[in-house]
Amino acid sequence: MPTTIANTFIPTIGDNDHPYRNGAWTPNYVEYDANELKVTGEIPRDLNGLYVRNTENPMHEAIGVYHPFDGDGMIHAMRFQDGKAFYRNRFVRTEGFLAELQEGRALWAGITADPSLSEREGWGARGGMKDASSTDVVIHNKKVLSTFYQCGDAYRLDSTSLDTLGKESWVPGDGISAHPKVDLATGELLFFNYSKQAPYMHYGVVSANGELKHFVPIPLPGPRLPHDMAFTKNYSILCDFPLFWDPKLLEKNIHAARFYADTPSRFAVIPRYGDSNEVRWFEADPTFVLHFTNAFEQDNEIILDGYFQQNPEPGPLEGAPRKYARMMGYLDLHSMQPRFHRWRFNLKTGAVTETDLDEKVLEFGTINQTFAGREARYSYSTTGEPGHFLLNGFVKHDLHKQSSDCFAAAAGEFVSEASFAPRTGAIEEDDGFLVSFTTNLREDISECIVMDARNLSAGPICRIQLPHRICSGTHAAWAGEDEL
């Protein structure tokens, strides 16, 4: 079957000067099914599975200044089978998306606006927001699962049709944050949430077949803004970073994040099925971390890898339009200065040691997920375009040899968070591929690129052209055929 248009949506906003509604962030409003795609090179026959990516696509003029993380979630998917590829994209039909579609306008205030301006009861840790389900995406219990960074419902999508199947019934009343973790060894999903009400954070475990098995409070000193978590074979790691809403302003319902440089970062280590009284807190250098790549146990230590921000509270982006400068500063990786970093938590002595693993500005890392929770030798990070929330290359780290291999996209072409796809029948950890969607402003196209994970510097093995140029976004995931 050739490319067909499944649905076309007419937004109630037109083009404007907003930096995150133009260029590589131009939203998409057409849903496609495409089974005959132009391929440059050859699709590996031993690449079999599903690559999915979440993006933000605002349907209506925002209440307040639009922030890209407010946009409605759209999932883009490329299915690989025996040397062929099939593309599909769909909006996530959240409650908020459907309600605003019916009214033809925004009903919820975004992150830059006063939550009290929302016309209907909302979701989110700060309250009053729309759960756009536009941040993260994982595959669990043979379904695609999309989530929202400020906490909300988790939406299930069919892994073939991308039809929205509804909300997960196990999600607690406070919702869940983006970045739940799937442990492929057990099939379990681990998650957390956060809010403005004590105890301010919870942690839970969902079974491989979608049953809530464990849910406990993780008491914090006050409202916090955790964004990610990690896990090992026996433990989960949660965070309390010194970047959070100013408590005095919060009393006035003003949500202004501040970095408290004199306050340490804290990491909660809890047994996977542990109770609140089993949490052990470890203090480390003050920072903020958006994303972790992996954690594992070694002797008496837990080792955690992620991206340590050297400047968690950047000022307005120099040269940006005044209206958007502060927002763009917080979205610019080169302003936040994240470094690939390693923490070591000694379970016997309570000591913490930490060090940078690379001096480059890096973020959005991944590993071969079959190694999640245990030691992985290889990690794949993403480089960023200065001045804008756009990604432009990959760095593979060999953590044993302390060496790296790089791929840089051509000028005007931007990549998305890549996923590692193991080669069918692979035994060794890095025997597989990196898969990513690109946005090419020079040629006004998007492609799915496949690279040999053992030779990133050689560039893509193949490029598969999509039926449209897709919007930039945040997170992606891979699932092999056995997970689908």
Side-chain angles (χ1 to χ4, degrees):
M1 183 178 68
T3 298
T4 59
I5 293 177
N7 294 289
T8 300
F9 294 86
I10 308 300
T12 60
I13 52 175
D15 292 336
N16 57 30
D17 64 351
H18 197 294
Y20 288 100
R21 285 185 183 152
N22 289 280
W25 282 85
T26 302
N28 299 116
Y29 300 110
V30 179
E31 297 177 334
Y32 286 96
D33 298 333
N35 295 347
E36 297 179 6
L37 299 164
K38 177 183 176 182
V39 180
T40 302
E42 186 174 348
I43 301 172
R45 297 188 66 86
D46 48 7
L47 173 63
N48 293 283
L50 180 71
Y51 175 69
V52 290
R53 182 191 182 198
N54 209 340
T55 61
E56 292 85 5
N57 293 261
M59 284 290 296
H60 310 288
E61 189 63 47
I63 299 174
V65 175
Y66 173 69
H67 189 286
F69 297 168
D70 298 333
D72 296 293
M74 176 181 280
I75 304 295
H76 300 264
M78 186 70 80
R79 185 73 174 263
F80 295 90
Q81 291 180 320
D82 299 323
K84 298 181 180 179
F86 315 95
Y87 170 79
R88 185 161 292 186
N89 68 299
R90 293 292 187 273
F91 273 108
V92 184
R93 268 66 168 178
T94 66
E95 286 186 13
F97 173 81
L98 294 175
E100 291 187 335
L101 193 65
Q102 183 176 4
E103 292 292 327
R105 59 188 176 89
L107 300 172
W108 286 273
I111 191 173
T112 68
D114 183 341
S116 66
L117 296 176
S118 293
E119 296 183 25
R120 298 190 184 179
E121 183 178 352
W123 297 262
R126 57 180 273 166
M129 294 186 71
K130 177 177 64 176
D131 172 8
S133 207
S134 58
T135 307
D136 198 17
V137 61
V138 297
I139 291 92
H140 179 246
N141 192 18
K142 302 188 184 300
K143 299 291 187 294
V144 175
L145 196 68
S146 65
T147 49
F148 185 54
Y149 75 108
Q150 283 273 357
C151 299
D153 296 311
Y155 281 86
R156 290 177 293 117
L157 289 83
D158 184 90
S159 60
T160 299
S161 67
L162 292 188
D163 291 342
T164 301
L165 303 176
K167 301 183 290 187
E168 286 284 21
S169 59
W170 52 261
V171 173
D174 286 343
I176 70 169
S177 176
H179 301 305
K181 302 297 180 181
V182 178
D183 182 354
L184 293 182
T186 65
E188 293 173 325
L189 180 140
L190 317 172
F191 71 91
F192 69 98
N193 65 23
Y194 60 101
S195 71
K196 292 187 291 187
Q197 292 77 42
Y200 307 112
M201 181 189 283
H202 292 83
Y203 155 74
V205 182
V206 179
S207 70
N209 61 3
E211 179 184 358
L212 182 63
K213 302 291 289 185
H214 189 63
F215 187 64
V216 294
I218 308 294
L220 299 176
R224 295 295 189 263
L225 296 170
H227 190 75
D228 201 0
M229 65 172 291
F231 70 91
T232 69
K233 180 180 179 181
N234 296 298
Y235 298 95
S236 292
I237 301 107
L238 305 159
C239 308
D240 174 12
F241 291 119
L243 178 77
F244 49 84
W245 290 311
D246 185 319
K248 293 182 179 179
L249 294 177
L250 197 57
E251 292 176 359
K252 303 175 183 178
N253 206 32
I254 298 173
H255 298 76
R258 299 283 184 264
F259 180 59
Y260 298 88
D262 295 330
T263 301
S265 299
R266 300 199 309 149
F267 296 85
V269 175
I270 182 173
R272 181 169 297 195
Y273 280 88
D275 293 325
S276 303
N277 59 7
E278 296 179 82
V279 173
R280 291 192 62 183
W281 287 100
F282 293 83
E283 293 190 354
D285 291 346
T287 187
F288 187 76
V289 177
L290 280 171
H291 304 116
F292 300 106
T293 55
N294 194 32
F296 61 96
E297 300 161 35
Q298 188 178 80
D299 299 326
N300 293 318
E301 289 187 319
I302 287 178
I303 299 173
L304 173 66
D305 293 343
Y307 300 95
F308 181 108
Q309 291 184 10
Q310 295 189 334
N311 184 23
E313 191 179 7
L317 184 64
E318 186 176 350
R322 183 176 180 182
K323 184 177 181 181
Y324 308 119
R326 182 168 177 79
M327 174 188 70
M328 294 180 70
Y330 270 101
L331 291 169
D332 175 38
L333 294 183
H334 287 260
S335 294
M336 294 182 286
Q337 290 286 303
R339 298 290 193 270
F340 194 30
H341 195 79
R342 171 165 285 185
W343 295 262
R344 290 177 176 268
F345 309 122
N346 192 305
L347 297 174
K348 188 174 182 179
T349 66
V352 177
T353 57
E354 52 185 306
T355 185
D356 283 345
L357 299 174
D358 198 315
E359 295 180 354
K360 291 187 286 293
V361 172
L362 299 169
E363 246 288 358
F364 291 96
T366 189
I367 62 168
N368 179 337
Q369 287 298 313
T370 60
F371 285 78
R374 56 194 178 104
E375 185 177 7
R377 175 175 175 175
Y378 304 102
S379 183
Y380 307 87
S381 299
T382 309
T383 57
E385 180 85 356
H388 219 17
F389 189 46
L390 292 169
L391 309 177
N392 62 4
F394 304 110
V395 178
K396 175 187 179 181
H397 289 93
D398 183 332
L399 297 172
H400 288 183
K401 292 184 176 181
Q402 297 182 344
S403 61
S404 62
D405 182 29
C406 305
F407 165 77
E413 182 179 33
F414 303 101
V415 301
S416 57
E417 182 180 56
S419 291
F420 180 89
R423 190 186 307 272
T424 301
I427 297 175
E428 297 183 353
E429 180 186 337
D430 67 341
D431 187 9
F433 310 93
L434 276 196
V435 184
S436 177
F437 286 133
T438 69
T439 298
N440 188 325
L441 297 182
R442 300 186 326 275
E443 301 181 34
D444 195 32
I445 61 172
S446 280
E447 297 173 309
C448 181
I449 58 173
V450 178
M451 291 178 286
D452 183 347
R454 289 178 163 173
N455 192 7
L456 293 190
S457 57
I461 298 170
C462 67
R463 292 177 173 268
I464 308 161
Q465 187 171 329
L466 308 188
H468 56 165
R469 177 160 66 82
I470 68 174
C471 178
S472 190
T474 48
H475 294 288
W478 170 266
E481 287 296 327
D482 57 333
E483 300 171 61
L484 301 172

